[in-house]
Amino acid sequence: MDYKKIECIFDECFSANELINIRREIHMHPELGCQEFNTGDIICRCLDQWNIPYTRGVADTGIVAKMHGTRPGKTIAIRADIDALPIQEENDIPFKSLIPGKMHACGHDIHTTVLLGLARLLKQLNGDYAGSFTLIFQPAEESIGGAERMIEAGVLEEPYADHVIALHCGADIEAGKVGLKYGSMFAGSDAFNVVVKGKSSHAAYPSLGLDPIVMTAQAISAVQSIVSRSTAPQNSAVVTIGKINGGTVRNQIPDCVELQGTIRTLDPETREYTVKKAESIFRGVVEGMGGTLEFTRIPSYPPLINDDSVVEKVKQVFCSAIGPDSVLLLKDPVMGCEDFAYFTAERPSMIWRLGCKTPDTEIVPLHNSKFNPDERCISLGVKLQTLAALTLAGN
């Protein structure tokens, strides 16, 4: 599919601010995961207006639309996450969040608007393309892993999706540019809880007790050696202890200490090794000092690994469309998590980054109360995501 044709179709479909207005309406009414009812109303209103059939209530608040071409080709699923974050917006803008304590601080309002724009462009083509497209408006990316629930609901079947693609706002990439990454893109995450048990005593007589605070301190120091001495330099892992509770008064050795942490890794092998190594070190230090330990792993999103062949195809058409200088090849993965990883685990897939930073301004990162993307990225996102989907389908 020729990019200039997509640009012409875009101009036929949308007035100057139509998509921006949709995005602003979504932005003003942010909803957390599994509560995206008003957001769903906005999505369905647009699809109804454009006579695009859909199914609502997939995995509770998800929406799926299926569109079919008149010529044979692959089936491509395109995903947009639709939930917001529990953050109080601090931007002084006319369309700031109207919901106290909730904000689209990760760009999901942009993602949703882009997928709606793509739906409109495909509708305008009236089936004059090869392949089929499954449009996935997915809830709960920021909380319970809505991608996994959508897959369990069968969104990649009937028709069988050959590939899945998505985009994510890139706060550090200028609007007008995009970022592509081969291989590992986002880290996987595991949470863990640890209870270190000792024996309480008066602070004046420590020999009568067994101090779990000392044991915990030794174990925390030791567990950091996983990254510096047990993880191969070419791999990445982050072990963080984020919460510790122990003791109630200054002059008593407590019975136990509770702590919570996370482990982030970029591939399945390193993930399993690091979790097991962390438990082994905690257990070895604590039990070696006479205490007992409870270690509980809480698995979260797996590592997100883009399929290199899919990335290569998309890179070629993006470079042709907007020039190679505007297509950045990202070297380093992100140690944050993204539940699109569930899709990459099911099909050869990719997620790419849509630049949304206003030129000549400081970077305001995602999940920040003052995150305010440059809305000019929306039209480019629609055109490029449509180009990627059509190309992968065989057009």
Side-chain angles (χ1 to χ4, degrees):
M1 175 65 69
D2 183 75
Y3 185 64
K4 292 189 178 297
K5 181 178 180 180
I6 291 176
E7 290 184 307
C8 291
I9 296 171
F10 182 92
D11 292 339
E12 293 173 2
C13 290
F14 299 110
S15 60
N17 295 318
E18 185 174 352
L19 287 174
I20 288 176
N21 290 337
I22 292 172
R23 180 258 165 169
R24 291 183 176 184
E25 183 179 3
I26 296 172
H27 186 86
M28 288 190 293
H29 302 90
E31 297 169 300
L32 303 183
C34 301
Q35 302 173 15
E36 306 98 337
F37 300 107
N38 182 75
T39 305
D41 289 342
I42 297 171
I43 294 168
C44 293
R45 185 192 71 211
C46 292
L47 296 176
D48 286 335
Q49 178 182 344
W50 302 328
N51 296 314
I52 298 172
Y54 58 85
T55 300
R56 191 169 185 178
V58 182
D60 295 331
T61 49
I63 299 166
V64 175
K66 298 181 180 182
M67 308 181 74
H68 306 284
T70 56
R71 300 190 299 276
K74 291 185 175 181
T75 295
I76 308 302
I78 310 100
R79 173 273 217 169
D81 34 13
I82 65 175
D83 57 323
L85 285 159
I87 294 175
Q88 179 67 41
E89 182 164 13
E90 295 183 11
N91 288 312
D92 184 16
I93 52 178
F95 53 92
K96 70 182 297 184
S97 170
L98 299 176
I99 312 300
K102 299 178 184 179
M103 176 191 175
H104 274 289
C106 199
H108 294 189
D109 49 345
I110 298 285
H111 306 171
T112 302
T113 305
V114 167
L115 186 54
L116 284 170
L118 179 149
R120 181 71 180 90
L121 295 192
L122 289 180
K123 181 66 176 180
Q124 187 72 7
L125 287 171
N126 196 30
D128 186 19
Y129 52 78
S132 296
F133 301 93
T134 302
L135 281 51
I136 302 170
F137 297 90
Q138 177 216 300
E141 190 278 327
E142 299 285 2
S143 54
I144 62 172
E148 183 178 37
R149 300 181 70 225
M150 295 291 273
I151 293 169
E152 291 172 350
V155 299
L156 299 184
E157 311 297 334
E158 298 181 2
Y160 180 93
D162 296 285
H163 305 295
V164 190
I165 59 174
L167 57 78
H168 200 296
C169 283
D172 57 341
I173 300 174
E174 289 187 358
K177 298 182 179 181
V178 302
L180 301 181
K181 176 74 172 65
Y182 292 98
S184 296
M185 180 78 167
F186 287 87
S189 176
D190 289 272
F192 61 87
N193 296 335
V194 174
V195 179
V196 178
K197 295 182 179 180
K199 180 181 178 182
S200 179
S201 70
H202 194 287
Y205 309 104
S207 61
L208 300 179
L210 185 60
D211 194 338
I213 292 179
V214 172
M215 290 187 283
T216 300
Q218 295 287 337
I220 290 174
S221 295
V223 82
Q224 293 302 322
S225 69
I226 296 174
V227 176
S228 64
R229 289 296 178 266
S230 296
T231 303
Q234 65 270 24
N235 295 336
S236 294
V238 179
V239 180
T240 300
I241 309 299
K243 182 178 180 181
I244 302 176
N245 290 325
T248 57
V249 293
R250 72 178 71 239
N251 62 344
Q252 180 198 34
I253 293 173
D255 283 319
C256 69
V257 171
E258 298 179 0
L259 59 90
Q260 298 177 4
T262 61
I263 294 172
R264 297 172 185 269
T265 50
L266 292 173
D267 63 84
E269 294 77 17
T270 303
R271 182 186 192 188
E272 292 303 313
Y273 171 83
T274 305
V275 173
K276 292 178 180 178
K277 187 69 172 179
E279 179 178 3
S280 174
I281 290 175
F282 272 114
R283 196 171 298 282
V285 171
V286 171
E287 292 179 353
M289 297 178 71
T292 59
L293 179 123
E294 296 176 3
F295 185 99
T296 304
R297 176 186 184 179
I298 307 167
S300 184
Y301 303 163
L304 192 161
I305 303 174
N306 283 335
D307 183 87
D308 287 353
S309 64
V310 177
V311 175
E312 180 62 26
K313 291 179 182 178
V314 171
K315 185 193 78 170
Q316 290 179 10
V317 293
F318 280 10
C319 287
S320 177
I322 62 175
D325 291 343
S326 295
V327 180
L328 310 179
L329 294 182
L330 308 177
K331 295 181 179 180
D332 299 321
V334 177
M335 294 309 292
C337 300
E338 161 62 65
D339 83 342
F340 188 74
Y342 290 109
F343 288 111
T344 63
E346 290 290 326
R347 301 287 195 275
S349 305
M350 70 163 288
I351 188 170
W352 56 278
R353 297 177 65 195
L354 175 65
C356 65
K357 174 184 172 293
T358 301
D360 302 319
T361 61
E362 293 184 2
I363 296 172
V364 178
L366 302 173
H367 289 224
N368 186 288
S369 60
K370 292 187 177 182
F371 175 66
N372 186 23
D374 189 326
E375 294 177 316
R376 289 176 294 181
C377 73
I378 296 173
S379 60
L380 181 64
V382 172
K383 297 169 189 175
L384 289 181
Q385 193 72 312
T386 303
L387 176 65
L390 287 168
T391 299
L392 292 172
N395 293 274

